[in-house]
């Protein structure tokens, strides 16, 4: 049984490779931070489920690396709870990706929507992982970079000590019909994103473990190998 700890989004043994999301957030801009070596954060959005999430977990275990799972709260139920527990107990980070995955947190009058859905998801997570579990890492559906008018929502999150996290690398599996259709195209898309953002010691990679993301799973070993070959350590967001 993994040793849990109060007030965090990961087990105690993950302390060795857990980094404050607030520090990573700053490092992604290219600014100097306490992170003075190369670290990659594999992040998986839109789980949890019983078809894709366990297969992603198996691949991560096979390659001996850890990731951060951004969970949509309404996916947590009695069927998926064991998978969420496995993610946590395997030493991965557990983060929050809203409760219903809407795209309207910047809508007039909805400045409280994000914090409300944050707490809905946190409550669902605590029902599975225990009342002392906590996560202060949030990702907006579509990413913060996709929207304007989030200042009030951001302020609500910040007041609770919550950091919103985007990404500075991706595999293109969120693009739907316009996205890459082959493994080679997906790897090429990933390579292109690496030069599209400010140069930094950290790479936060957007991938999805939602149902049907077979191509993302197929290239995951190659993504992992790329970062290993380029001298990156693998971290989780905390």
């Amino acid at each position: 049984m993994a040793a849990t700890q109060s007030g965090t989004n990961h087990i105690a043994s993950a302390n060795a490779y857990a980094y404050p999301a607030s520090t990573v957030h700053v490092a992604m801009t290219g600014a100097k931070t306490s992170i003075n070596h190369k670290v990659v954060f594999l992040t998986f959005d839109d789980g949890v489920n019983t078809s894709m999430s366990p297969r992603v977990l198996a691949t991560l275990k096979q390659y001996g690396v850890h990731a951060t799972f951004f969970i949509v709260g309404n996916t947590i139920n009695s069927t998926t709870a064991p998978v969420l527990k496995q993610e946590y107990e395997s030493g991965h980070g557990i983060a929050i990706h809203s409760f219903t995955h809407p795209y309207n947190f910047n809508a007039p009058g909805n400045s409280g929507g994000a914090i409300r859905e944050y707490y809905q998801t946190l409550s669902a997570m605590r029902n599975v992982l225990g009342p002392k579990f906590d996560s202060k890492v949030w990702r907006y559906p579509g990413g913060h970079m996709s929207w304007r008018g989030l200042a009030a929502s951001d302020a609500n999150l910040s007041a609770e000590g919550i950091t919103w996290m985007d990404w500075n690398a991706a595999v293109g599996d969120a693009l739907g019909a316009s996205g890459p259709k082959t493994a080679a195209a997906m790897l090429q898309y990933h390579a292109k994103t690496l030069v599209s953002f400010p140069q930094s010691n950290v790479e936060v990679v957007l991938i999805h473990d939602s149902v049907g993301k077979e191509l993302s799973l197929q290239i995951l070993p190659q993504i992992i190998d790329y970062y290993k070959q380029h001298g990156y350590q693998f971290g989780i967001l905390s």
Side-chain angles (χ1 to χ4, degrees):
M1 184 69 177
T4 61
Q5 57 184 346
S6 298
T8 68
N9 69 336
H10 56 80
I11 59 174
S13 61
N15 288 339
Y17 50 85
Y19 293 77
S22 56
T23 303
V24 177
H25 182 103
V26 174
M28 287 170 63
T29 68
K32 290 185 178 180
T33 69
S34 57
I35 304 174
N36 54 17
H37 55 282
K38 296 200 293 188
V39 189
V40 60
F41 301 87
L42 302 177
T43 67
F44 293 89
D45 283 13
D46 292 359
V48 61
N49 57 71
T50 59
S51 58
M52 187 58 67
S53 300
R55 294 161 68 195
V56 168
L57 283 172
T59 301
L60 295 173
K61 181 178 180 179
Q62 178 183 351
Y63 285 84
V65 301
H66 294 90
T68 305
F69 288 88
F70 282 84
I71 307 296
V72 177
N74 66 8
T75 67
I76 302 171
N77 53 50
S78 59
T79 302
T80 61
V83 183
L84 176 61
K85 195 170 184 180
Q86 182 185 358
E87 290 175 349
Y88 176 74
E89 293 184 345
S90 297
H92 303 290
I94 307 299
I96 295 178
H97 194 37
S98 80
F99 190 80
T100 62
H101 206 282
Y103 294 109
N104 66 346
F105 289 127
N106 63 338
N110 194 34
S111 61
I115 198 70
R116 181 170 59 251
E117 294 217 2
Y118 164 85
Y119 278 113
Q120 284 180 287
T121 303
L122 183 61
S123 177
M125 289 176 169
R126 285 174 170 168
N127 287 338
V128 177
L129 303 176
K132 296 182 179 180
F133 170 85
D134 199 13
S135 181
K136 298 296 187 183
V137 190
W138 162 275
R139 176 171 284 161
Y140 283 102
H144 192 283
M145 69 181 81
S146 299
W147 315 106
R148 295 181 179 179
L150 287 172
S153 181
D154 292 347
N156 288 334
L157 294 171
S158 180
E160 298 294 317
I162 302 160
T163 300
W164 61 260
M165 286 298 308
D166 273 356
W167 54 89
N168 58 356
V171 300
D173 61 356
L175 300 178
S178 65
K181 304 296 190 300
T182 66
M186 189 167 273
L187 290 168
Q188 186 177 34
Y189 183 95
H190 169 256
K192 185 183 295 184
T193 65
L194 294 178
V195 296
S196 299
F197 292 86
Q199 294 300 298
S200 168
N201 283 330
V202 305
E203 296 291 346
V204 179
V205 188
L206 174 66
I207 318 174
H208 289 75
D209 66 328
S210 45
V211 176
K213 298 297 184 183
E214 296 291 338
L215 202 56
S216 304
L217 179 65
Q218 181 183 333
I219 69 159
L220 181 55
Q222 291 164 277
I223 294 293
I224 293 170
D225 281 343
Y226 171 85
Y227 286 103
K228 284 186 173 181
Q229 290 170 10
H230 285 80
Y232 283 82
Q233 298 179 20
F234 288 75
I236 64 171
L237 299 166
S238 178

